[in-house]
Amino acid sequence: MTSAVVVLGEGVPSRGQVAMAAVLHTGGRAVVTGLTALELAATPNVRYSPDVHVLVSRECGVRSAGRFLYERTGRLPEALPLRIPPTAPYARAVVDACKRLPDDARARATARATALAAVQHRLCGVGELRREAAYLRGRAAARMGAIVDEVESGVRSLPEADFRVLVQTSGLPEPLWNARVFRADGQFLCAPDALWEDEGVVVEVDSVAYHGSEAQRIDTFERAERMRAAGLTVVSVLPRQVRDEGAAVVQLVRNLLYAVRQRPLAHLGLSVRKAV
C-alpha cells in the first residue's frame, strides 16, 4: 500500500522534506539511505546525487520513478534515533551508495571519498563498514573490501589515500597514517597525515578541501611549526604533486628518510598511538 503525499506551504520543498515525502509514500517502514542519507547529515567532501534513495521491505509495492529510487531489501535496518526523515545507519548508507556506483575510475574515486568522509566525520566506524560490506557479493564485495582496507589503514581523505597508493607502489616503507603523537609528559602534539616513526619524518598532504580557508592555512602552518619545534622533519605536498609528480615526491621522501635514518621518535621524547 502506498500513500499520496501533499506538502502544505509555499516555496520549494527542502531536500529533507522531499526525502520525508518519499518515505511517507511507501505507506510503511522505510529509511533513506545512500548518498541521500549522507547529504542530509551534511557530510562534507561527498559528491551527492539528485536521486532520493530509500530502502523498503521486499513486500513494499512502491516502484522507483523519476528521481525517487526505492530499493527493496530483506535486511531493512532500524532507523537511527531522532532522525527526520527516518535514516539508515550511516555504515549501511555508505555501502548502499558505493555498491550502486559504476566500476570506472571516477566512480571508484567517489566511492573511496564517500567512505573516507563518513569515517573522518565520525558518522560510522571502520568495523561497522566492514560488517556491512560482508553482505555484498561478487565485484561489489571486492571493491568495497578494498575501500574498507584503505580506511582501516588510517587514511582519512582521498588525497591521503592517493598518497598511500603512491607509497605502496614506490617501494617506500609504509608510514603510520593519522597516528596520534604525544610529548613525553603525555600532552598531545599532532596527528600527521603520514608519519615514519623510526625516522621522525612527516608528510602532510595539503589539499584545498581541508586547508583552503585562511584560518585553515594558518592552522596548518602553526601545526607544522609545532611539529618541527618538537624535532620532527616535516614536508608538505599538494594533491596535484602526488598525482602528476609522483616520482619527484617519492624521491624527496626517500632522501629525507635516508638523511634522518637514526632519529626515531623515542630519541625525541615522543610516543605514538595508531589511528582507530
Side-chain angles (χ1 to χ4, degrees):
M1 179 179 179
T2 60
S3 302
V5 180
V6 177
V7 177
L8 299 177
E10 299 179 353
V12 177
S14 68
R15 285 287 285 174
Q17 289 174 320
V18 172
M20 188 69 220
V23 170
L24 292 173
H25 182 60
T26 68
R29 282 185 64 223
V31 292
V32 296
T33 191
L35 295 175
T36 305
L38 298 174
E39 177 184 0
L40 296 179
T43 314
N45 305 310
V46 172
R47 189 189 301 274
Y48 299 131
S49 167
D51 295 338
V52 177
H53 191 176
V54 179
L55 281 178
V56 298
S57 67
R58 293 194 188 281
E59 297 75 27
C60 181
V62 69
R63 295 181 179 277
S64 299
R67 291 298 186 182
F68 294 91
L69 172 63
Y70 291 100
E71 178 182 344
R72 288 175 174 76
T73 178
R75 283 195 317 115
L76 188 65
E78 290 294 327
L80 292 170
L82 305 177
R83 299 295 197 284
I84 298 176
T87 302
Y90 291 117
R92 176 67 179 272
V94 169
V95 172
D96 284 343
C98 293
K99 74 182 183 183
R100 300 192 69 88
L101 292 168
D103 192 15
D104 57 50
R106 182 175 181 179
R108 287 194 294 272
T110 298
R112 293 164 67 208
T114 299
L116 288 163
V119 174
Q120 167 75 9
H121 296 281
R122 302 185 183 280
L123 295 180
C124 62
V126 179
E128 295 170 284
L129 276 181
R130 192 171 291 285
R131 286 191 292 273
E132 283 296 334
Y135 288 98
L136 298 177
R137 294 293 180 268
R139 185 174 297 179
R143 183 173 67 172
M144 196 67 214
I147 290 172
V148 175
D149 288 344
E150 185 171 68
V151 179
E152 194 168 42
S153 73
V155 297
R156 291 296 179 262
S157 70
L158 193 55
E160 290 175 24
D162 289 339
F163 181 55
R164 179 173 179 258
V165 171
L166 179 64
V167 167
Q168 292 181 320
T169 56
S170 68
L172 286 171
E174 181 94 3
L176 298 175
W177 302 96
N178 288 288
R180 293 166 61 80
V181 181
F182 295 83
R183 301 181 190 276
D185 61 2
Q187 182 181 0
F188 174 74
L189 174 63
C190 60
D193 294 343
L195 168 67
W196 281 266
E197 184 178 3
D198 289 342
E199 294 82 13
V201 169
V202 165
V203 172
E204 295 276 75
V205 186
D206 293 339
S207 67
V208 172
Y210 293 90
H211 307 272
S213 71
E214 182 177 359
Q216 288 169 326
R217 288 194 296 272
I218 292 173
D219 181 68
T220 297
F221 174 80
E222 292 178 344
R223 168 173 133 136
E225 288 302 295
R226 287 195 299 272
M227 288 190 283
R228 291 188 178 101
L232 297 171
T233 301
V234 183
V235 62
S236 297
V237 298
L238 299 174
R240 65 168 177 80
Q241 291 177 292
V242 173
R243 183 180 63 249
D244 301 330
E245 304 167 23
V249 171
V250 167
Q251 192 59 50
L252 171 63
V253 175
R254 184 171 283 119
N255 290 344
L256 285 174
L257 294 177
Y258 179 80
V260 294
R261 186 68 68 181
Q262 302 304 319
R263 297 188 65 198
L265 262 63
H267 291 183
L268 302 174
L270 303 173
S271 61
V272 176
R273 300 175 195 169
K274 292 184 179 180
V276 294

